[in-house]
């Protein structure tokens, strides 16, 4: 018997007719809620739809129909307005189901994962627990890494280290939940889990940290969407860490492991940890990516959009064209149609900026349009007018850069004039701070790589020769950024490397080097948000770095 998407054509006519009739009865019930016969027709038809989908073994569609039937059964005759959300969920589910089946007719590719959002809306409307995104995913969750000798973890020092590593994980988790510097947050969380994996090495419970680290690596490498359920999953990992800290023999539930494995399979990246997990558990290759699913979610459930960034890119292209033409005009090498072209570009830009609410930028261009309209010959263009237009374009570019970063411009309620010079200066200062911040991050990354090379060479001090001076440069950059406390912590790291690694006769122990790496990682993470976020937002990250330095015996002023 032919089953699945290829058999849909065999039952198509009856199925689609029944669905259309069901939607018609539902719409009639919305207007006549005392008519129980209409509601009963809806429930009966949904049962028939479920039976047809079960016959052709379209699992996801069958489940959606069943969840719709369950919720419809719960609707009473004479339903009041408090049932509107449930009725809306039913109507939306029927729309999504029809769209999904039409897609199957065209592409013959089953992706039941596409239906999970609609299924979960039904379950939430019925006050039931939503299904995880790994619901349709099959994987071996009982496979463990080869056994190693377990280490005792009951001594106070190790318990304190576990507490500090959980704190590190929580800092990254909090920022990830807030959508602040997701890549840096994921990196911090992954490091905390790998250190916990080392700490609890040999215990069955360490398997969670290894798999979760692979999931975080995959989330970052594949740029998976930071959905609410994924944030909840990584928050669940934090609760599992707490259980582990209280009871070293605790083993995480298999459902959590399965959800983490799904993220690794979905990302299908080549990260070191993710590759190891995928090979050990023999994860299947999924026929879709996260972004492919997201595109289909949008198509089935309504168009999603990222207007600000798309618009910023389009405006940026127009600005680039205008600046190129201005440059040619200033050199006297512009073609004859350049003056008409630049007026057309500026007029289009002015309307676009006004439409999106960038009124000050729009007004800045409007003041130049009449002057540009009077440019009849390239040789007669006034240099002062040309430079003024160039300044305005740079000012607008600064505002559009804010759109690119996702910033929203506040509306000027009083329509007060904006000081272009001041705005441009602020933009240039921000750009300078970003450059300094990037250089500081590069300095910390260089120090971490040098320490890694130092460890791999079993203490060759040549690898550390330039590290203290590089960190002092980082310290200077942080002073420029008004990050005085971070500057002192970097100086403390430089002092430790100079005195305990370069000048010392023996190499520090591996735990001490790992703790130094923790401090540098915390500082690197801090810099990911140090320019664009308020310092108080990341103060606890500096606390973590200071704790690590104290564990090294370094006193920070």
């Amino acid at each position: 018997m032919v089953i699945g998407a290829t058999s849909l054509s065999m039952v198509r006519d009856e199925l689609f007719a029944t669905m259309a009739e069901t939607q018609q009865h539902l719409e009639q019930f919305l207007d006549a809620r005392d008519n129980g016969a209409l509601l009963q027709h809806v429930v009966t038809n949904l049962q028939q739809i479920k039976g047809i989908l079960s016959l052709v073994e379209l699992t996801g569609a069958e489940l959606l129909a069943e969840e719709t039937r369950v919720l419809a059964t719960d609707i009473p005759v004479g339903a009041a307005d408090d049932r509107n959300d449930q009725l809306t969920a039913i109507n939306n589910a029927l729309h999504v189901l029809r769209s999904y089946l039409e897609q199957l007719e065209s592409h013959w590719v089953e992706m039941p994962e596409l239906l999970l959002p609609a299924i979960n809306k039904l379950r939430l409307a019925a006050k039931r627990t939503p299904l995880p995104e790994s619901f349709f995913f099959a994987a071996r969750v009982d496979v463990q890494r080869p056994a190693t000798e377990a280490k005792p973890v009951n001594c106070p020092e190790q318990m304190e280290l576990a507490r500090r590593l959980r704190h590190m994980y929580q800092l990254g988790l909090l920022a990830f939940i807030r959508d602040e510097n997701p890549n840096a947050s994921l990196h911090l969380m992954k490091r905390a889990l790998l250190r916990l994996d080392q700490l609890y090495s040999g215990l069955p419970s360490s398997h969670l940290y290894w798999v979760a680290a692979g999931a975080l690596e995959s989330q970052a490498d594949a740029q998976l969407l930071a959905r609410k359920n994924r944030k909840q999953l990584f928050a669940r990992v934090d609760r599992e860490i707490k259980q582990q800290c209280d009871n070293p023999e605790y083993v995480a539930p298999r459902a959590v492991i399965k959800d983490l494995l799904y993220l690794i399979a979905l990302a299908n990246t080549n990260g070191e940890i993710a590759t190891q997990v995928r090979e050990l558990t023999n994860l299947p290759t999924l026929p879709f990516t996260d972004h492919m699913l997201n595109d289909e979610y949008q198509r089935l459930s309504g168009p999603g959009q990222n207007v600000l960034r798309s618009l910023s890119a389009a405006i940026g292209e127009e600005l680039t064209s205008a600046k190129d033409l201005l440059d040619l005009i200033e050199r006297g090498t512009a073609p004859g149609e350049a003056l008409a072209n630049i007026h057309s570009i500026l007029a289009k830009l002015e309307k676009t900026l006004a439409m999106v609410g960038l009124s000050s930028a729009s007004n800045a261009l409007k003041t130049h349009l009449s002057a540009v309209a009077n440019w009849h010959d390239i040789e007669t263009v006034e240099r002062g007018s040309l430079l003024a237009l160039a300044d305005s374009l740079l000012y607008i570019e600064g505002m559009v850069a804010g759109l690119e970063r996702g910033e929203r411009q506040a509306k000027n309620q009083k329509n007060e004039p904006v000081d272009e010079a001041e705005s441009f200066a602020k933009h240039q200062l921000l750009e300078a701070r970003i450059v300094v911040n990037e250089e500081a991050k590069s300095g910390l990354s260089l120090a971490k790589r040098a320490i890694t090379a130092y460890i791999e060479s079993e203490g060759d001090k040549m690898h550390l020769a330039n590290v203290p001076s590089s960190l002092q440069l980082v310290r200077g950059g942080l002073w420029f950024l008004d990050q005085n406390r971070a500057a002192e912590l970097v100086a403390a790291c430089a002092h430790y490397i100079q005195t305990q690694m370069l000048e010392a006769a023996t190499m520090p122990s591996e735990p001490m080097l790992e703790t130094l790496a923790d401090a540098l990682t915390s500082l690197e993470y801090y810099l990911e948000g140090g320019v664009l976020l308020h310092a108080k937002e990341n103060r606890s990250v500096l606390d973590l770095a200071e704790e690590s330095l104290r564990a090294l015996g370094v006193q920070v002023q």
Side-chain angles (χ1 to χ4, degrees):
M1 178 179 179
V2 181
I3 58 174
T6 54
S7 63
L8 183 59
S9 59
M10 299 168 56
V11 296
R12 182 196 185 283
D13 292 343
E14 179 184 359
L15 179 61
F16 278 64
T18 304
M19 290 174 61
E21 183 181 279
T22 304
Q23 287 182 297
Q24 183 179 6
H25 287 320
L26 182 62
E27 291 171 0
Q28 292 173 349
F29 177 74
L30 291 174
D31 294 329
R33 300 193 181 191
D34 292 329
N35 191 335
L38 291 173
L39 185 60
Q40 185 56 47
H41 279 308
V42 171
V43 174
T44 302
N45 283 357
L46 286 171
Q47 180 63 43
Q48 183 179 348
I49 291 169
K50 174 186 177 297
I52 295 173
L53 295 172
S54 176
L55 180 66
V56 296
E57 296 189 11
L58 292 176
T59 309
E62 178 191 353
L63 180 58
L64 178 58
E66 172 61 13
E67 292 289 349
T68 309
R69 186 197 66 80
V70 170
L71 185 57
T73 304
D74 189 51
I75 302 292
V77 176
D81 289 344
D82 61 343
R83 296 284 185 161
N84 286 349
D85 288 345
Q86 294 178 335
L87 290 167
T88 300
I90 293 172
N91 193 47
N92 176 70
L94 289 170
H95 169 73
V96 169
L97 180 58
R98 185 181 186 92
S99 298
Y100 178 75
L101 295 175
E102 288 173 346
Q103 175 184 289
L104 280 182
E105 279 192 300
S106 302
H107 304 294
W108 306 109
V109 177
E110 294 182 62
M111 285 194 289
E113 290 81 2
L114 282 176
L115 301 176
L116 274 174
I119 291 171
N120 284 333
K121 285 181 181 178
L122 292 167
R123 294 178 68 89
L124 289 172
K127 299 181 180 179
R128 298 164 62 200
T129 304
L131 300 177
E133 63 176 329
S134 64
F135 181 79
F136 294 107
F137 177 66
R140 291 281 305 275
V141 297
D142 57 342
V143 180
Q144 297 283 332
R145 286 178 292 176
T148 57
E149 184 179 355
K151 301 177 182 178
V153 290
N154 294 323
C155 64
E157 292 81 5
Q158 290 178 313
M159 297 302 291
E160 172 61 22
L161 176 58
R163 183 201 64 78
R164 191 169 76 241
L165 293 174
R166 185 189 176 206
H167 184 206
M168 178 188 291
Y169 182 87
Q170 289 174 325
L171 289 173
L173 175 64
L174 182 60
F176 180 66
I177 290 174
R178 292 176 174 175
D179 295 319
E180 297 171 357
N181 305 301
N183 285 335
S185 304
L186 293 169
H187 177 74
L188 191 69
M189 295 160 68
K190 185 182 83 170
R191 175 165 183 81
L193 290 178
L194 290 177
R195 297 273 277 121
L196 283 166
D197 183 36
Q198 293 176 354
L199 182 64
Y200 290 96
S201 177
L203 295 175
S205 50
S206 68
H207 185 67
L208 168 69
Y209 303 135
W210 182 59
V211 175
L216 287 167
E217 181 181 72
S218 299
Q219 176 82 30
D221 291 349
Q223 296 291 298
L224 299 182
L225 299 172
R227 302 184 187 277
K228 179 181 178 181
N229 60 316
R230 292 171 187 171
K231 295 176 181 179
Q232 291 173 335
L233 173 60
F234 292 128
R236 173 69 184 274
V237 171
D238 175 59
R239 295 195 294 274
E240 297 299 324
I241 296 174
K242 183 180 185 302
Q243 294 271 16
Q244 175 94 44
C245 291
D246 296 337
N247 176 18
E249 300 297 328
Y250 175 79
V251 178
R254 290 188 174 185
V256 178
I257 301 293
K258 181 185 177 184
D259 290 345
L260 294 169
L261 289 175
Y262 174 75
L263 292 184
I264 296 174
L266 180 64
N268 196 29
T269 54
N270 296 319
E272 179 182 359
I273 306 169
T275 300
Q276 293 172 0
V277 174
R278 197 162 51 245
E279 291 176 352
L280 178 69
T281 57
N282 195 25
L283 289 182
T285 300
L286 299 180
F288 49 79
T289 66
D290 191 35
H291 294 281
M292 182 190 301
L293 282 179
N294 185 59
D295 290 343
E296 293 301 321
Y297 285 150
Q298 294 175 352
R299 193 190 68 78
L300 291 179
S301 304
Q305 54 187 341
N306 195 350
V307 177
L308 291 179
R309 294 187 183 277
S310 299
L311 186 62
S312 172
I315 295 176
E317 291 177 3
E318 296 291 342
L319 282 171
T320 299
S321 298
K323 289 193 298 181
D324 289 345
L325 283 174
L326 273 184
D327 183 55
L328 293 175
I329 293 171
E330 195 275 335
R331 294 168 183 259
T333 58
E337 66 275 12
L339 297 180
N341 289 344
I342 195 169
H343 184 272
S344 175
I345 291 173
L346 294 178
K348 181 180 176 181
L349 268 176
E350 186 272 325
K351 292 179 181 178
T352 303
L353 293 169
M355 181 182 66
V356 300
L358 296 179
S359 55
S360 60
S362 173
N363 291 336
L365 269 188
K366 191 178 294 184
T367 60
H368 294 285
L369 279 175
S370 58
V372 174
N374 293 325
W375 290 355
H376 301 298
D377 188 278
I378 292 176
E379 296 180 356
T380 62
V381 175
E382 296 182 3
R383 181 173 177 80
S385 177
L386 197 66
L387 293 177
L389 177 57
D391 288 342
S392 292
L393 290 179
L394 289 174
Y395 158 68
I396 294 168
E397 191 174 40
M399 297 193 71
V400 174
L403 281 180
E404 183 65 27
R405 292 188 293 269
E407 300 169 2
R408 294 185 178 272
Q409 305 295 329
K411 292 184 178 180
N412 192 336
Q413 300 294 339
K414 298 181 181 179
N415 292 321
E416 296 175 351
V418 177
D419 188 331
E420 290 186 23
E422 181 182 355
S423 177
F424 177 63
K426 288 181 178 178
H427 170 61
Q428 292 296 96
L429 178 60
L430 177 59
E431 293 294 328
R433 289 170 65 85
I434 291 174
V435 170
V436 173
N437 189 68
E438 291 298 323
E439 289 298 321
K441 287 192 294 182
S442 297
L444 288 175
S445 297
L446 176 64
K448 289 170 61 179
R449 290 196 299 270
I451 292 172
T452 300
Y454 169 78
I455 295 172
E456 292 175 349
S457 64
E458 298 182 354
D460 187 347
K461 297 180 181 180
M462 179 188 68
H463 296 291
L464 302 178
N466 298 323
V467 172
S469 59
S470 296
L471 291 179
Q472 290 298 338
L473 291 175
V474 173
R475 179 191 186 190
L478 292 173
W479 278 108
F480 171 77
L481 297 174
D482 294 326
Q483 303 293 341
N484 297 345
R485 186 183 177 200
E488 292 301 330
L489 291 171
V490 170
C493 291
H495 177 73
Y496 181 85
I497 294 171
Q498 182 68 42
T499 58
Q500 302 299 319
M501 298 171 72
L502 281 172
E503 298 176 358
T506 59
M507 181 179 177
S509 65
E510 182 177 347
M512 299 293 277
L513 292 173
E514 288 286 358
T515 302
L516 174 61
D518 289 343
L520 291 171
T521 299
S522 300
L523 288 166
E524 187 178 28
Y525 173 71
Y526 176 78
L527 290 182
E528 292 288 344
V531 170
L532 301 178
L533 301 178
H534 296 297
K536 64 181 181 181
E537 297 282 348
N538 284 333
R539 192 171 299 158
S540 55
V541 181
L542 295 183
D543 292 339
L544 183 62
E546 188 169 340
E547 286 181 18
S548 298
L549 287 169
R550 283 206 198 99
L552 293 172
V554 178
Q555 296 301 318
V556 182
Q557 296 180 353

